[in-house]
Amino acid sequence: MSELTEPMRGSRGDLELEDRAALRRIPGLSTELADVTEVEYRQLRLERVVLVGVWTDGSAAQAEASLTELALLAETAGSQVLEGLVQRRHRPDPATYIGTGKVAELRDVVASAGADTVVCDGELSPGQLRQLEDKLKIKVIDRTALILDIFAQHARSKEGKAQVELAQLRYLLPRLRGWGEALSRQAGGRAGGATGGVGLRGPGETKLETDRRRIHRRIAKLRREIAGMRTVRDTKRGRRLARRVPAVAIVGYTNAGKSSLLNALTGAGVLVQDALFATLDPTTRRAVAPDGRGYTLTDTVGFVRHLPHQLVEAFRSTLEETVEADLLLHVVDGADAMPDEQVKAVRTVLSEVLDGAGTGAGAPPELLVVNKVDAVDEVSLARLRHLLPRAVFVSARTGAGLDELVARIGELLPRPDVEVDVEVPYAHGGLVARVYAEGQVISAEHTEAGTRLRARVHPDLAGALAAL
């Protein structure tokens, strides 16, 4: 298969004729089948898909990386990728996404490959979706629908399932389609007329309108349920804030190794899979800084390029764990071909969450953590160190660099405000435990009357100590 075209030369308008003349195949995107039994299984279970993208800007490598990621998403959803095609255009065609002439070429590719689904690397409008399905005569979905399908497969908790269903309904609502007069519930006309007359006059709405009304009702119900779950989550978070326990949120691109890092730092035993969006439900565990201060680590849902807006909205209550955090551990996949693009995608989603939270506060401090360094060669590792000079380089699998990471977390955690020098009677041992758990102990000495502490603590604990 031929490579993608070279990056554009000259102005944006100087698209080469060859680039615009044909759909270009992306090499290496067909799903590899291991043996005959796997072939038989996949023929029974998996959809056979052709991927289609539109390259509007950026380099050829970026366009290829986007379609390669789409192939991973399709395989995660349970598909067998047959072909990957890219069309070079200034912008997607408003009617058919890739243009009428290229649809005919795509139809030939679909027929020769024996595909039953086309997946487009972008969010299609309802009109584009309808036009493509009418012309190709097979199912067409876009990147958004594919990601929603993966989320639906991986959601486990009640809150996760409700959030995914809300996102799916928000996506489906503008794409509902009727199929002719057979779905109409409005009889109209004179009794005994051709339309049926008495007994068949309905409430004056079509089946399509009825479906829309039901979806609106379901969306409203899901929003109420998620708001109730958010109240529970806020209560738990409020308790942690009241105890002044610092919070660290692990964020990053999907499959960057966030859950593996949580397990390595806390022994949490969270599910780890080499798959996109394996984690949807946040997990919080306790950890201890080198100076003895306790803090919480929360594993959050992974991000991806062009994460559907519906998902950001639906998962806002979960993602707001990051807004309330004192520190963000931004995990980057060191083995990825374009880690800088991962960083940009994650920061874009985080900015959306911060804007939607409406707190007025800026983003929490961020510590970049480059994971999977054991899978990176020396040359690539040197390039990463130059590209991300302030990052910590670790391997959650081998444990390399974890001591440095724990030390950096301890340095960046917020420190208590008030320094105290107090003798705590042995009868009030609970306060000593709170100082160790919530504060920073500088020195401790056991005397006949009690425990002499010199420490930095939060104002509420300082008040309790002063009252002794």
Side-chain angles (χ1 to χ4, degrees):
M1 297 181 185
S2 60
E3 297 182 355
L4 280 169
T5 53
E6 297 179 358
M8 281 189 301
R9 295 188 292 270
S11 67
R12 181 178 174 84
D14 293 335
L15 293 179
E16 295 187 17
L17 182 60
E18 185 182 359
D19 289 341
R20 301 177 62 182
L23 292 169
R24 294 303 186 94
R25 284 182 166 84
I26 303 299
L29 286 190
S30 59
T31 300
E32 297 295 331
L33 303 179
D35 54 33
V36 174
T37 58
E38 188 178 359
V39 171
E40 293 174 348
Y41 171 80
R42 286 174 180 266
Q43 284 179 342
L44 289 173
R45 299 287 182 180
L46 302 186
E47 290 188 40
R48 297 161 59 84
V49 304
V50 171
L51 311 179
V52 180
V54 172
W55 172 19
T56 58
D57 54 19
S59 66
Q62 289 173 326
E64 184 171 344
S66 182
L67 213 66
T68 301
E69 182 178 86
L70 187 68
L72 291 174
L73 289 168
E75 291 178 352
T76 301
S79 302
Q80 177 187 349
V81 178
L82 304 177
E83 289 276 11
L85 308 168
V86 166
Q87 166 67 3
R88 187 74 169 98
R89 298 180 62 92
H90 287 301
R91 55 187 173 273
D93 182 75
T96 60
Y97 185 63
I98 57 174
T100 304
K102 298 303 171 286
V103 171
E105 292 183 31
L106 177 59
R107 185 170 58 242
D108 294 338
V109 172
V110 166
S112 62
D116 48 35
T117 303
V118 168
V119 183
C120 296
D121 191 19
E123 183 166 331
L124 300 178
S125 68
Q128 288 172 327
L129 191 64
R130 183 169 57 252
Q131 288 271 3
L132 282 173
E133 286 192 341
D134 289 345
K135 294 179 184 299
L136 297 175
K137 306 302 181 185
I138 63 170
K139 183 172 70 174
V140 177
I141 64 172
D142 58 16
R143 186 187 183 95
T144 299
L146 183 61
I147 294 176
L148 288 172
D149 182 80
I150 297 171
F151 269 58
Q153 292 182 44
H154 290 180
R156 293 292 179 267
S157 69
K158 183 178 179 181
E159 182 175 14
K161 290 178 180 178
Q163 289 169 326
V164 171
E165 184 181 355
L166 175 60
Q168 288 178 317
L169 292 176
R170 286 169 55 90
Y171 172 80
L172 175 64
L173 192 59
R175 291 168 175 81
L176 285 178
R177 285 179 286 173
W179 295 96
E181 296 179 358
L183 296 181
S184 177
R185 289 178 52 87
Q186 182 168 0
R190 295 175 55 86
T195 54
V198 175
L200 295 180
R201 280 188 286 267
E205 61 181 6
T206 64
K207 176 68 164 55
L208 188 61
E209 290 166 338
T210 304
D211 288 343
R212 284 178 178 152
R213 182 162 47 83
R214 288 175 177 170
I215 289 176
H216 279 299
R217 282 206 304 263
R218 181 62 180 163
I219 287 175
K221 182 181 179 182
L222 287 170
R223 282 175 171 162
R224 289 194 298 271
E225 290 178 356
I226 292 172
M229 299 171 194
R230 178 179 179 177
T231 301
V232 175
R233 185 181 298 280
D234 288 344
T235 301
K236 293 179 181 178
R237 188 186 301 133
R239 290 173 183 167
R240 294 198 298 267
L241 292 174
R243 294 196 302 268
R244 303 287 185 175
V245 179
V248 178
I250 304 176
V251 300
Y253 213 75
T254 180
N255 207 29
K258 298 182 296 301
S259 298
S260 298
L261 188 63
L262 178 70
N263 289 342
L265 292 175
T266 67
V270 173
L271 170 71
V272 173
Q273 287 182 328
D274 184 16
L276 306 184
F277 300 115
T279 300
L280 294 188
D281 303 315
T283 302
T284 300
R285 294 291 184 269
R286 189 178 185 277
V288 180
D291 59 9
R293 283 180 296 156
Y295 63 94
T296 61
L297 264 176
T298 300
D299 182 19
T300 62
V301 63
F303 302 145
V304 72
R305 296 179 187 91
H306 314 301
L307 189 67
H309 182 70
Q310 295 91 342
L311 278 174
V312 177
E313 287 294 320
F315 277 75
R316 189 174 298 282
S317 61
T318 302
L319 294 174
E320 281 179 3
E321 289 280 353
T322 62
V323 178
E324 302 291 340
D326 297 296
L327 175 66
L328 297 181
L329 288 189
H330 184 165
V331 182
V332 182
D333 183 355
D336 187 78
M338 293 186 175
D340 51 331
E341 294 295 322
Q342 286 194 2
V343 172
K344 290 178 185 176
V346 172
R347 287 175 175 167
T348 298
V349 177
L350 285 175
S351 66
E352 287 185 41
V353 175
L354 284 168
D355 293 343
T359 60
E366 177 190 77
L367 174 60
L368 279 174
V369 182
V370 178
N371 193 19
K372 306 183 184 181
V373 294
D374 56 305
V376 183
D377 60 72
E378 291 298 325
V379 174
S380 299
L381 195 57
R383 184 181 70 85
L384 281 172
R385 291 187 185 278
H386 176 73
L387 184 66
L388 306 170
R390 290 180 291 181
V392 179
F393 291 78
V394 305
S395 169
R397 188 177 67 85
T398 66
L402 291 183
D403 290 340
E404 180 188 353
L405 175 60
V406 170
R408 288 286 299 275
I409 291 173
E411 293 171 3
L412 294 173
L413 286 177
R415 298 189 177 275
D417 306 318
V418 182
E419 185 171 332
V420 297
D421 189 346
V422 61
E423 188 174 64
V424 183
Y426 289 118
H428 295 278
L431 284 176
V432 177
R434 282 188 62 189
V435 172
Y436 274 96
E438 303 174 21
Q440 180 183 4
V441 177
I442 300 172
S443 65
E445 180 186 358
H446 297 290
T447 66
E448 292 183 4
T451 304
R452 188 82 186 181
L453 288 174
R454 182 165 170 259
R456 295 187 65 84
V457 297
H458 294 290
D460 56 342
L461 183 52
L465 293 170
L468 293 176

